[in-house]
Amino acid sequence: MILNVITVSLRNDPAGQSSAENWRDQLQLDFIVLGDQDGAWAADWAGNDAAPHHSYTMIGSDGRITWRQDDGSSTTADALSEAALDAE
C-alpha cells in the first residue's frame, strides 16, 4: 500500500484533508493522501527536525519499520522498489 502524508499546504499552512485531496486530484494520484492538520504525523514520522521535507518509511506486513530515509533528500522509484522487496 502506498500512503502519502502532506504536512503543509501550498500556502505553507498546516495541511488539512482538503489540502490533501487537492494535492491528490492535481497530481492525479491513485493512492491515499492524508493531511497532517495538527502536526501529529510530522512529530512522529517526519525527518529529524520535523520540518516539511521528503521522508520515506517502509513498513512490513508485520507492522515493523523495515526501511527509512528521513534526511530530506529525494529517492528514486528503484530505491523504493528495492526497499519494498527487502521488506517481504
Side-chain angles (χ1 to χ4, degrees):
M1 171 173 62
I2 298 173
L3 172 68
N4 180 218
V5 179
I6 62 171
T7 57
V8 294
S9 71
L10 294 175
R11 294 183 311 268
N12 211 28
D13 297 324
Q17 194 54 37
S18 63
S19 295
E21 290 168 5
N22 289 339
W23 175 262
R24 185 193 64 224
D25 294 346
Q26 283 179 336
L27 297 176
Q28 300 177 346
L29 303 175
D30 62 355
F31 49 82
I32 299 167
V33 179
L34 301 174
D36 185 27
Q37 180 70 42
D38 63 1
W41 182 90
D44 289 341
W45 293 98
N48 295 328
D49 60 2
H53 56 57
H54 294 116
S55 68
Y56 307 88
T57 305
M58 195 71 61
I59 301 173
S61 59
D62 61 358
R64 295 177 187 257
I65 295 173
T66 60
W67 179 82
R68 188 166 187 185
Q69 177 177 315
D70 62 359
D71 60 2
S73 64
S74 294
T75 192
T76 65
D78 289 339
L80 290 172
S81 294
E82 185 177 322
L85 290 173
D86 290 345
E88 292 183 47

